Structures are given as structure tokens and as C-alpha cells.
Amino acid sequence: MRVEDQIVFTAHHGNWKVADRLLDMDDEKVAHFIASIANTVNAKIPEYLTEVMNVAGISSLAEELAQKNLSDAVVALKSPGTARKLGQLVFEDDKKLRKHLVDVAKALLVREVLSKKAPVDYPEGPLSEVRIVFPYNEDHVNFTAFHLSAEHGKWRAVRRLIIDDKTPMADVARLLAGINESITLKLPVYAGIDVDGIDAWFGEFKKVRKAEIPAVVEKYLHFPAENYAPKPFVEHARVYALRKALEKIGLPLDVPAKSLEKYLEKK
């Protein structure tokens, strides 16, 4: 039986109850919907990391770094001193496992610091209502995307986790991070964001040294987003430009699902 083209996101865990579905697979509507899902999961990730790191401590460090201007804040985020502080904020003694958690903590810190300086989320609000029947009785997070009739390539994605008493909360964070990564790859396709053009905008920067970080930040600040996306998605393009600028510097905007996966595998 052919599965109907649709995108579904449901979450049922504790007080978090969200359920929505998109059936009208018009490109613009898909882009807005998955942007809302990305905002939803990114907002929840920190809550699911409190068992493995001091999230409140990371927020406190973010407040401190956010006092700086944007260039100085990014320089500080990249500094070895900040990495050492993050190492003290994760709950792990094993050196290899701690590195995976520090990578995750760094992404949390980068996102929180920069959220006070620049747009890190998409303009759409997060999903917050139960609009459809939950597909499972158990606590769960579920993201399903089927768009097999898309002109720009089929999209078939299922990210699902049934949550019980034995589920590590970091595993929920891993799933949420994976959903965000899937959407990060697909959003430009549906929104018409010129990611190759954004890459080219920062193309002059290769291996960025500390002294070059302000130049990358300046390049980001002068990014003409309106030239790289249709009008409804100009602000989305700006987020992608920030992501690319940080990538050049060696900083993550998004929590890496792979780091959490590796941590959980070895734990």
C-alpha cells in the first residue's frame, strides 16, 4: 500500500505533548512546517541533557560570554579556556567519552551565546499544540517524512524513539538532534535557499586562525540574505549563513547527534 505523502511530528513525554501533521506538500508549506519542527526540537534538547552535563552551568557561562560583542564572543567560544570550562561542566571522567559530551556542550553554548546576538532559530514559532491523534500510546518522540512525489528528489525519513523508564534522557536528545540535522539538510531544498551561494560568500576563508575570526564575523554581518533566498525565507538564509560562518571557524551551531550516539554506545 502506498504511503501518503506527509510530514508528521509527535512528542509525548511528561508535560511535553505536541502532535501535528502536514498533508499539503507544497514546497513553501513544507519549508515552514519543518522549520517549526526544527525550532521545536532545538528548544527541547537542553532539557534532555541535564543527566550528563550541567546545563545550568553552561547557561551561566553563556550569559558571561554574551556580554562581549559578537566578534569577541566568537573568539571566546573558540578559545581553549572555554573548552576547559566545558570539560568541567560535563559529568564524565572517561577522557574519550568526555570529549563527545564536550562537543555537545560546546554546541549548546554556541547556540545560547549567539541567540543573544543574532538569529539562530527560524522565524516560525515552535509547534505547541496537539492537532492530531498520537500514533503511539507510549511516551515517544516521532518524526516521519514521506515525500515520494517531490520533483527535487524523494524524501523518506523516520526518526522515532519509544521512551520508557530505562531510556537515557541523552538518547532523547540524540534523537532530537538527529531530527534537526535531517531538517537542516532538507529545508534549503524546499525553501529555495542557495546554499552553494552561501558557501561561496565565505569561500575566501579556508583554515581560519584566531586573528581571522573577526573578518569571518564581519563577512557574516554583511551577508545579503535577500540575494540567496525567496522573500519568505530570507531570515532562514541568514541562519544558514551563520551556520556556515561558524563552520569556517570550527564551531557548531547544532548539537551533533553523532557525538551523543558515540557517547551512548560506549557508556
Short mmCIF file of all heavy atoms in Angstrom, two decimals, residues 193 198 201-202 216 219-220 223 225 235-247:
data_model
loop_
_atom_site.label_atom_id
_atom_site.label_comp_id
_atom_site.label_asym_id
_atom_site.label_seq_id
_atom_site.Cartn_x
_atom_site.Cartn_y
_atom_site.Cartn_z
N ILE A 193 16.72 28.04 -0.75
CA ILE A 193 17.90 28.74 -0.24
C ILE A 193 19.13 28.30 -1.03
O ILE A 193 19.37 27.10 -1.21
CB ILE A 193 18.10 28.46 1.27
CG1 ILE A 193 16.90 28.99 2.06
CG2 ILE A 193 19.39 29.07 1.78
CD1 ILE A 193 16.88 28.55 3.52
N ILE A 198 25.85 30.59 -0.57
CA ILE A 198 26.29 30.94 0.79
C ILE A 198 27.70 30.42 1.03
O ILE A 198 28.55 31.11 1.60
CB ILE A 198 25.29 30.39 1.84
CG1 ILE A 198 23.94 31.10 1.70
CG2 ILE A 198 25.84 30.57 3.25
CD1 ILE A 198 22.83 30.51 2.55
N TRP A 201 30.03 32.75 -0.61
CA TRP A 201 30.16 34.03 0.10
C TRP A 201 31.30 33.98 1.12
O TRP A 201 32.01 34.96 1.33
CB TRP A 201 28.84 34.37 0.79
CG TRP A 201 28.86 35.65 1.57
CD1 TRP A 201 28.96 35.79 2.94
CD2 TRP A 201 28.78 36.98 1.06
NE1 TRP A 201 28.94 37.11 3.30
CE2 TRP A 201 28.84 37.87 2.16
CE3 TRP A 201 28.67 37.51 -0.24
CZ2 TRP A 201 28.79 39.25 2.00
CZ3 TRP A 201 28.62 38.89 -0.39
CH2 TRP A 201 28.68 39.74 0.73
N PHE A 202 31.47 32.81 1.72
CA PHE A 202 32.54 32.64 2.71
C PHE A 202 33.74 31.90 2.13
O PHE A 202 34.62 31.45 2.87
CB PHE A 202 32.01 31.86 3.92
CG PHE A 202 30.96 32.60 4.71
CD1 PHE A 202 29.61 32.33 4.52
CD2 PHE A 202 31.32 33.57 5.63
CE1 PHE A 202 28.63 33.01 5.24
CE2 PHE A 202 30.35 34.26 6.36
CZ PHE A 202 29.01 33.98 6.16
N VAL A 216 35.71 36.90 9.52
CA VAL A 216 34.60 35.99 9.19
C VAL A 216 33.30 36.55 9.75
O VAL A 216 32.26 36.55 9.07
CB VAL A 216 34.87 34.57 9.74
CG1 VAL A 216 33.69 33.65 9.41
CG2 VAL A 216 36.16 34.00 9.18
N LYS A 219 32.16 39.39 7.67
CA LYS A 219 31.59 38.89 6.41
C LYS A 219 30.15 38.42 6.63
O LYS A 219 29.26 38.67 5.81
CB LYS A 219 32.46 37.74 5.90
CG LYS A 219 32.11 37.26 4.49
CD LYS A 219 32.67 38.16 3.42
CE LYS A 219 32.46 37.58 2.04
NZ LYS A 219 32.93 38.45 0.96
N TYR A 220 29.92 37.75 7.75
CA TYR A 220 28.56 37.32 8.08
C TYR A 220 27.64 38.52 8.27
O TYR A 220 26.50 38.53 7.79
CB TYR A 220 28.57 36.46 9.35
CG TYR A 220 27.23 36.39 10.03
CD1 TYR A 220 26.18 35.65 9.49
CD2 TYR A 220 26.99 37.12 11.21
CE1 TYR A 220 24.93 35.63 10.10
CE2 TYR A 220 25.75 37.09 11.82
CZ TYR A 220 24.73 36.35 11.26
OH TYR A 220 23.49 36.34 11.85
N PHE A 223 26.28 39.84 5.13
CA PHE A 223 25.68 38.86 4.23
C PHE A 223 24.34 39.37 3.70
O PHE A 223 23.42 39.65 4.48
CB PHE A 223 25.46 37.54 4.98
CG PHE A 223 24.73 36.50 4.19
CD1 PHE A 223 25.32 35.90 3.09
CD2 PHE A 223 23.44 36.12 4.54
CE1 PHE A 223 24.65 34.93 2.36
CE2 PHE A 223 22.75 35.16 3.81
CZ PHE A 223 23.36 34.57 2.71
N ALA A 225 21.27 38.48 2.67
CA ALA A 225 20.42 37.29 2.67
C ALA A 225 19.35 37.34 1.59
O ALA A 225 18.96 36.31 1.03
CB ALA A 225 19.77 37.12 4.05
N GLU A 235 15.20 35.22 6.19
CA GLU A 235 15.75 35.05 7.54
C GLU A 235 16.28 33.64 7.76
O GLU A 235 17.22 33.43 8.53
CB GLU A 235 14.70 35.40 8.60
CG GLU A 235 14.34 36.88 8.62
CD GLU A 235 15.57 37.78 8.71
OE1 GLU A 235 16.42 37.55 9.60
OE2 GLU A 235 15.68 38.71 7.89
N HIS A 236 15.71 32.68 7.07
CA HIS A 236 16.24 31.31 7.14
C HIS A 236 17.64 31.27 6.52
O HIS A 236 18.55 30.62 7.05
CB HIS A 236 15.31 30.34 6.40
CG HIS A 236 13.90 30.35 6.88
ND1 HIS A 236 13.06 31.42 6.70
CD2 HIS A 236 13.17 29.40 7.54
CE1 HIS A 236 11.87 31.15 7.23
NE2 HIS A 236 11.91 29.93 7.75
N ALA A 237 17.79 31.97 5.40
CA ALA A 237 19.10 32.02 4.74
C ALA A 237 20.14 32.65 5.66
O ALA A 237 21.31 32.25 5.67
CB ALA A 237 19.00 32.81 3.43
N ARG A 238 19.69 33.61 6.46
CA ARG A 238 20.62 34.26 7.40
C ARG A 238 21.12 33.26 8.45
O ARG A 238 22.28 33.29 8.85
CB ARG A 238 19.92 35.44 8.07
CG ARG A 238 20.87 36.58 8.45
CD ARG A 238 20.13 37.75 9.05
NE ARG A 238 19.16 38.35 8.16
CZ ARG A 238 19.47 39.18 7.16
NH1 ARG A 238 20.73 39.50 6.94
NH2 ARG A 238 18.52 39.69 6.40
N VAL A 239 20.25 32.37 8.88
CA VAL A 239 20.67 31.32 9.83
C VAL A 239 21.68 30.39 9.17
O VAL A 239 22.68 29.99 9.78
CB VAL A 239 19.45 30.52 10.35
CG1 VAL A 239 19.90 29.35 11.23
CG2 VAL A 239 18.50 31.43 11.12
N TYR A 240 21.44 30.07 7.90
CA TYR A 240 22.39 29.20 7.19
C TYR A 240 23.73 29.90 7.01
O TYR A 240 24.79 29.25 7.07
CB TYR A 240 21.81 28.76 5.85
CG TYR A 240 20.93 27.54 5.99
CD1 TYR A 240 19.61 27.66 6.41
CD2 TYR A 240 21.41 26.26 5.77
CE1 TYR A 240 18.80 26.56 6.60
CE2 TYR A 240 20.62 25.14 5.94
CZ TYR A 240 19.31 25.29 6.36
OH TYR A 240 18.52 24.19 6.55
N ALA A 241 23.71 31.20 6.81
CA ALA A 241 24.96 31.95 6.70
C ALA A 241 25.73 31.91 8.02
O ALA A 241 26.96 31.75 8.04
CB ALA A 241 24.68 33.39 6.29
N LEU A 242 25.01 32.05 9.12
CA LEU A 242 25.66 31.95 10.44
C LEU A 242 26.25 30.57 10.63
O LEU A 242 27.39 30.42 11.11
CB LEU A 242 24.65 32.26 11.54
CG LEU A 242 25.17 32.15 12.97
CD1 LEU A 242 26.32 33.13 13.21
CD2 LEU A 242 24.04 32.40 13.98
N ARG A 243 25.50 29.55 10.25
CA ARG A 243 25.98 28.17 10.38
C ARG A 243 27.27 27.98 9.58
O ARG A 243 28.23 27.36 10.04
CB ARG A 243 24.88 27.21 9.91
CG ARG A 243 25.21 25.74 10.09
CD ARG A 243 24.04 24.87 9.66
NE ARG A 243 22.99 24.80 10.68
CZ ARG A 243 21.75 25.26 10.51
NH1 ARG A 243 21.40 25.83 9.37
NH2 ARG A 243 20.87 25.15 11.48
N LYS A 244 27.29 28.52 8.37
CA LYS A 244 28.48 28.38 7.51
C LYS A 244 29.66 29.17 8.08
O LYS A 244 30.80 28.68 8.08
CB LYS A 244 28.15 28.85 6.10
CG LYS A 244 29.34 28.87 5.13
CD LYS A 244 30.07 27.54 5.04
CE LYS A 244 29.22 26.44 4.46
NZ LYS A 244 30.03 25.18 4.26
N ALA A 245 29.41 30.38 8.58
CA ALA A 245 30.48 31.18 9.17
C ALA A 245 31.10 30.44 10.36
O ALA A 245 32.34 30.37 10.50
CB ALA A 245 29.94 32.54 9.62
N LEU A 246 30.26 29.87 11.20
CA LEU A 246 30.76 29.13 12.36
C LEU A 246 31.52 27.88 11.92
O LEU A 246 32.54 27.52 12.52
CB LEU A 246 29.59 28.74 13.27
CG LEU A 246 28.90 29.90 13.99
CD1 LEU A 246 27.63 29.43 14.67
CD2 LEU A 246 29.84 30.55 15.01
N GLU A 247 31.03 27.23 10.88
CA GLU A 247 31.72 26.05 10.35
C GLU A 247 33.13 26.41 9.91
O GLU A 247 34.08 25.66 10.16
CB GLU A 247 30.91 25.49 9.17
CG GLU A 247 31.48 24.24 8.54
CD GLU A 247 30.68 23.83 7.31
OE1 GLU A 247 29.44 23.73 7.41
OE2 GLU A 247 31.30 23.65 6.24
#
